Amino acid sequence: MQDTPKGSRLHIAIFGRRNAGKSSLINALTNQDIALVSNIPGTTTDPVYKAMEILPVGPVMIIDTAGIDDVGELGALRVEKTMQVLNKTDLAVVVIEPAAGLTEYEQNIVSEVQKRKIPLVGVINKIDQFNVSVDLIKKWNEGLGLNLLPISAKTRQGIEELKRLIITSAPEEWEGTPIIGDLIDPGDTVVLVVPIDLAAPKGRLILPQVQTIRDILDHDACSVVVKERELKEALENLHRKPRLVVTDSQEFLKVAADTPDDVLLTSFSILMARHKGDLETLTAGARAIDKLKPHDKVLIAEGCTHHRQADDIGRVKIPRWLRQTVGGELEFDWVSGGSFPSDLSQYQLIVHCGACMLNRREMLYRLSVAREKQVPIVNYGLLIAHVHGILRRALSPFPLAQMLLDE
Amino acid sequence: MQDTPKGSRLHIAIFGRRNAGKSSLINALTNQDIALVSNIPGTTTDPVYKAMEILPVGPVMIIDTAGIDDVGELGALRVEKTMQVLNKTDLAVVVIEPAAGLTEYEQNIVSEVQKRKIPLVGVINKIDQFNVSVDLIKKWNEGLGLNLLPISAKTRQGIEELKRLIITSAPEEWEGTPIIGDLIDPGDTVVLVVPIDLAAPKGRLILPQVQTIRDILDHDACSVVVKERELKEALENLHRKPRLVVTDSQEFLKVAADTPDDVLLTSFSILMARHKGDLETLTAGARAIDKLKPHDKVLIAEGCTHHRQADDIGRVKIPRWLRQTVGGELEFDWVSGGSFPSDLSQYQLIVHCGACMLNRREMLYRLSVAREKQVPIVNYGLLIAHVHGILRRALSPFPLAQMLLDE
């Protein structure tokens, strides 16, 4: 994930006075304890850029402003450092500490952020230690022109809600992880396996396939587009081995058999899962399939209301595979299109489509809702790979996600 | 053109009594005199299938029913032969001969055709010899439930109108010439050069590129998709030479330089010109560029109202190239979207876009209108290839069209 180009990481600047709990908040967002949480004033005065992963937001660049808070820097120097940070900020988070309350520092930051039209999220931290009255929140909200979210970085209260606010507030043009561009070098060849079955649109390709070809072109590489039956011949026709083979999920077994073991292999669904959502959350969801028991409830969510084939993947194939895996009956609910239930507590698993008709924001929102309710969520591509025993191979280009399989 | 798969040829059955002028009509439609026009009754009793080219309709299969007209066959045998023909007919043409008028024969044919919901065009032939009154036409129209078109196969009066009726009456699902499938064999590799410039849609490919990739897959072949800068490297990476290289027109010169001379090369525009319209009419239009004189009027027609770039091809580049070719000023008119003037007589040349947003029927209609007014019509791809001196190379996969350059 450290390979993700800087430009596609959402740059989140965290502002707050000393003791507001900025470091704890960063740790809570990233689920990492590697950054030491400390009350001892730091010695650095420059903002620190930390490339991190916030699930399910994706790769982000956290800008830790510890050195330029209300104690670390004074006057003109603080203003200059703050300007420097804001020039790189896609989204700002301002952290208020209840004991000190709303001061000139927060008001200045919020005013500078709003002046630049940078999306802004405000939180009140430490609500596990302080009882902040509704009246006080209302007063601070009015003072800043914001809706402050009460959280506790320590107990994680409100953290998933904060992630959701980050997702919904992120700027439109933020695209997140590229589809494939960060996995390839200029001059590479990528083989794309595109089966033509009844579900293929007449005379066209489906959107994820087109987007992948485009992303490969955008990264100065070359696509070889072929059906599964011509794959072997196409591979033999290349002097240099392809960097990667990407296949439609439904042909994974055949394609895996025809692709040399030392060539990385994945599926369009997995590329889109990573591009649209977050591969780690969905990989954890795939593992949860093994824990399903007979009579568990499964929600199958489709982003569009496509014409159903007789052997429809969401209505027929996936229920059949899951029943076979569990060795018994399961209860299924289906939702499709724009609807996604907010009450997920009755489900032991959510299976989501590839989300080709949903935007990244919508998919991240759904992942976030599932994470908050602690309901595992997987998508079609990862589920198919898992029930066919090829998930490890399909995750071969993604070592971090692959590691989750061994936990 | 004889390679065109039977399925993509529009099958047109011509019905009419002996002496109605079926053979003359076929010759008038195809501009061929190779089929002998004769008044001597034929000896064959089976319908004859003639693979032909009707400009600008494209490749058709004419079903000549000379043997099963009202004289050739009688009773049950004629009915059987007619059924056999109708089972393969996409569009039926019934020819009425004024001397005999409307008989039971035409009424039976029309009734059988309509029973099968086959599109039907009715003509009254020989209007150069017979004066058919409006009242009589009206009576026959009512008798058949048709709008009969008066024509003369001999003088060609009404022939372009008849072609237009064939175009507009052809069944929706008739697709005409495939994009590229008839030019390749299973297992072939086709290299597609897709430049990514400002005009490329964000994160996608343009439709002709996607349709070409799909058509290659549908014909069990393999696409290599690459930008112009990586073309050389991509060609060197292939063991077997590609069957064909297809490029965006605007990169033709660079691509021609990087493509070995013994590899066929064309452009997406030329593929689409052939798929959507008719390559021969447009090639003749390209040759007409050389006959333009200063102050001639040129119509530039675009099928969509796309966002104009600063260096827009239709508004800036093509006018510039044409002025340079002519060595003087030209008068330009532009139309875009659904509008296409019916009065074309003031123009010495029509330049049409690649028609990616128009369907085949609309484009054929426009070609037909231009042919009727005898105004040469060319499209962007052929024009660019011509003004850059590479049209011969760009037509290398199409020997029939290439031959027109030598006429």
Side-chain angles (χ1 to χ4, degrees), chain A residues 82-201:
Chain A
T82 303
M83 302 301 107
Q84 178 196 333
V85 166
L86 288 179
N87 285 338
K88 297 176 183 173
T89 299
D90 296 318
L91 184 142
V93 177
V94 174
V95 188
I96 291 177
E97 204 260 327
L102 187 58
T103 72
E104 209 189 333
Y105 172 80
E106 289 87 7
Q107 279 168 329
N108 284 339
I109 292 286
V110 165
S111 150
E112 288 298 329
V113 167
Q114 287 172 339
K115 204 191 288 176
R116 287 169 176 74
K117 298 192 165 60
I118 297 169
L120 173 63
V121 173
V123 297
I124 304 164
N125 195 12
K126 303 192 184 178
I127 57 165
D128 58 313
Q129 292 172 52
F130 298 92
N131 199 353
V132 187
S133 72
V134 173
D135 281 352
L136 194 56
I137 297 178
K138 209 173 155 188
K139 195 181 135 204
W140 289 346
N141 278 349
E142 282 163 6
L144 291 174
L146 274 181
N147 267 321
L148 292 163
L149 175 71
I151 64 160
S152 163
K154 195 170 162 194
T155 66
R156 299 190 54 82
Q157 195 183 335
I159 292 298
E160 291 297 334
E161 261 181 291
L162 171 57
K163 289 183 184 181
R164 215 138 61 217
L165 264 179
I166 289 174
I167 290 167
T168 52
S169 308
E172 276 296 340
E173 61 278 12
W174 168 61
E175 286 179 2
T177 314
I179 295 173
I180 195 170
D182 58 324
L183 302 171
I184 57 179
D185 289 318
D188 276 349
T189 299
V190 180
V191 176
L192 306 178
V193 185
V194 173
I196 301 300
D197 58 16
L198 287 173

Side-chain angles (χ1 to χ4, degrees), chain A residues 173 175 186-189 194 196-197 200-205 207 210-227 229-230 233-241, chain B residues 173 175 186-189 194 196-197 200-205 207 210-227 229-230 233-241:
Chain A
E173 61 278 12
E175 286 179 2
D188 276 349
T189 299
V194 173
I196 301 300
D197 58 16
K202 187 166 164 6
R204 313 279 171 97
L205 303 175
L207 191 52
V210 175
Q211 291 175 304
T212 305
I213 296 170
R214 173 60 191 264
D215 202 37
I216 292 167
L217 288 171
D218 282 341
H219 290 85
D220 306 329
C222 169
S223 305
V224 171
V225 188
V226 72
K227 290 207 302 286
R229 277 186 292 151
E230 285 82 41
E233 200 176 342
L235 287 172
E236 285 164 3
N237 196 26
L238 295 175
H239 280 292
R240 284 178 288 109
K241 275 189 182 157
Chain B
E173 60 278 13
E175 286 178 2
D188 276 348
T189 299
V194 174
I196 301 300
D197 57 16
K202 189 170 164 4
R204 313 278 171 96
L205 302 175
L207 192 53
V210 174
Q211 290 174 307
T212 305
I213 296 170
R214 172 58 189 268
D215 201 39
I216 292 167
L217 289 171
D218 282 342
H219 289 85
D220 306 328
C222 170
S223 305
V224 171
V225 187
V226 73
K227 290 206 301 289
R229 277 186 291 151
E230 284 82 41
E233 199 176 342
L235 287 171
E236 285 164 3
N237 196 27
L238 295 175
H239 280 292
R240 284 180 288 108
K241 276 189 182 156

Side-chain angles (χ1 to χ4, degrees), chain A residues 235-289:
Chain A
L235 287 172
E236 285 164 3
N237 196 26
L238 295 175
H239 280 292
R240 284 178 288 109
K241 275 189 182 157
R243 179 66 175 264
L244 197 63
V245 174
V246 184
T247 179
D248 185 276
S249 299
Q250 302 199 47
E251 293 297 337
F252 206 104
L253 283 174
K254 170 159 176 43
V255 170
D258 285 345
T259 303
D261 287 338
D262 59 346
V263 172
L264 297 176
L265 171 63
T266 191
S267 69
F268 289 105
S269 301
I270 286 173
L271 288 184
M272 294 314 285
R274 194 180 70 119
H275 175 61
K276 285 268 169 112
D278 129 56
L279 198 52
E280 286 76 17
T281 299
L282 295 167
T283 302
R287 290 204 66 195
I289 294 169

